Amino acid sequence: MPKHFLNIPVAYKLGIKWAGYLPTFLSYAISRSIADISYVFYKSAVKNVKQNLRLVFPAFSEKKLSCITRSLFRNYSKYLIDYGRFAHLQKSAVIGQIACYKGKENLDAALQMNKGLLVLTAHLGNWELGGIFFGSYGLKTNVLTLRDENPEIDTIRKWYREAYGVKTITVGDSPFSPIEMVRALNNNEVIAMLIDRYHTGSDSITINFFHKPVPFPRGPFILSRLTGAPVVVAFVVREKNVYKGIIKGPFVVTHENEEYEILEKVVKILEDTIVMYPDQWYNFIKI
């Protein structure tokens, strides 16, 4: 399964160690050069990204898709620089990186239900910053994740999240993890998860995603039905030199036959957001 070549322990360690000390403009300049080199040599990821973008923009020329893909590589390298920079900031300063919110009232409506919160997002923008943001509401935040092929990456990410009070729940590590999720929601906690990559073997619902049948995890919708927890779709995207929060929903699954209907709404939101920010959709794996 191809991954971006910067998604290795040494890149995270160097980024966290040095990004906070170098001037931001210099860090971004270095990241741009690295991104351009990786675009040239990391051909499998470039191919996968272009194939994914072809689903989004079927009428675009190869030249246009190449332009978006190169921009995506540069933005991903910039994301990693910010990942490192934020490690040197206080929690309040990190949260302050989000300059504005679109749909904050949607989040407030979901929180008023006092049923916990299911946050669905994607490999779009800065999803780690989103997890820290939800913690700023004074809610205990849990991030669901799959085990990385490299356990050192898992350790670094877990340490990073815990520094901001975000707990990591690794799916598949324990048969009791679903019980842990239900307990968290019953305690009015937040569970956040990425849904734009399907984990083989897990329960799923297949739905058209940019006109292609794609399996999406069923788990969050089952959790909503069992606990009454509302579902929101949230992203933290970069616009020029600042971050912007986007929050849609809330949705609540009350019957099993509503799972597909609400997933359709979630996928439509995901599609619309990818169309708006295609060069921030860091999915290096073919859909």
Side-chain angles (χ1 to χ4, degrees):
M1 185 179 290
K3 299 170 68 174
H4 195 285
F5 90 104
L6 289 178
N7 194 36
I8 56 176
V10 67
Y12 279 85
K13 289 178 179 178
L14 288 175
I16 290 172
K17 183 175 182 180
W18 297 110
Y21 297 106
L22 293 175
T24 303
F25 77 90
L26 180 58
S27 297
Y28 285 163
I30 294 171
S31 75
R32 183 186 177 97
S33 298
I34 293 173
D36 288 345
I37 292 171
S38 67
Y39 178 83
V40 172
F41 290 101
Y42 196 33
K43 297 185 184 301
S44 60
V46 170
K47 180 181 178 181
N48 287 346
V49 168
K50 284 185 179 179
Q51 288 179 329
N52 290 341
L53 290 174
R54 175 66 69 190
L55 294 176
V56 182
F57 304 112
F60 278 15
S61 66
E62 181 67 20
K63 181 178 180 180
K64 180 66 173 177
L65 290 179
S66 295
C67 181
I68 297 173
T69 302
R70 183 183 292 273
S71 177
L72 184 149
F73 270 65
R74 290 173 175 173
N75 284 335
Y76 183 71
S77 291
K78 188 177 288 187
Y79 155 74
L80 290 178
I81 289 296
D82 284 346
Y83 190 94
R85 285 198 311 119
F86 296 164
H88 296 265
L89 300 178
Q90 295 294 321
K91 183 176 180 179
S92 58
V94 174
I95 294 168
Q97 299 296 313
I98 306 177
C100 62
Y101 306 92
K102 182 179 180 181
K104 187 172 177 291
E105 68 279 4
N106 299 326
L107 176 60
D108 292 337
L111 294 178
Q112 287 173 6
M113 298 180 190
N114 292 315
K115 291 285 188 177
L117 183 64
L118 288 157
V119 178
L120 306 185
T121 187
H123 295 82
L124 181 75
N126 193 322
W127 56 93
E128 294 287 356
L129 182 55
I132 297 169
F133 162 73
F134 283 102
S136 71
Y137 269 74
L139 297 169
K140 187 173 180 181
T141 303
N142 307 269
V143 173
L144 295 191
T145 183
L146 296 174
R147 182 167 295 283
D148 196 272
E149 295 172 4
N150 191 320
E152 200 172 351
I153 291 282
D154 281 331
T155 300
I156 293 170
R157 289 173 176 164
K158 184 177 180 181
W159 165 82
Y160 187 93
R161 293 169 185 146
E162 286 180 350
Y164 299 104
V166 178
K167 179 183 177 182
T168 300
I169 299 177
T170 304
V171 179
D173 267 12
S174 166
F176 300 105
S177 56
I179 298 174
E180 187 177 359
M181 296 175 210
V182 171
R183 184 183 298 118
L185 293 171
N186 287 337
N187 289 337
N188 204 27
E189 298 176 13
V190 174
I191 293 181
M193 64 190 80
L194 297 156
I195 64 164
D196 59 334
R197 289 182 192 166
Y198 169 65
H199 174 52
T200 304
S202 62
D203 200 0
S204 66
I205 301 174
T206 298
I207 195 168
N208 281 339
F209 180 49
F210 291 113
H211 306 292
K212 177 179 179 179
V214 173
F216 284 85
R218 184 185 176 198
F221 307 99
I222 295 175
L223 283 171
S224 177
R225 176 164 53 85
L226 292 177
T227 66
V231 174
V232 298
V233 187
F235 308 97
V236 177
V237 294
R238 192 179 187 93
E239 288 194 349
K240 296 183 179 178
N241 294 319
V242 299
Y243 282 104
K244 169 185 174 181
I246 301 172
I247 304 166
K248 302 280 188 173
F251 310 105
V252 179
V253 181
T254 57
H255 301 285
E256 186 174 349
N257 57 9
E258 289 181 333
E259 293 175 8
Y260 187 92
E261 176 187 340
I262 292 179
L263 175 59
E264 273 190 319
K265 294 178 181 178
V266 169
V267 169
K268 181 64 168 61
I269 292 169
L270 176 57
E271 288 177 335
D272 290 346
T273 310
I274 289 172
V275 168
M276 291 178 64
Y277 304 96
D279 59 356
Q280 293 185 54
W281 185 30
Y282 308 128
N283 199 343
F284 300 100
I285 298 169
K286 182 182 176 182
I287 294 297

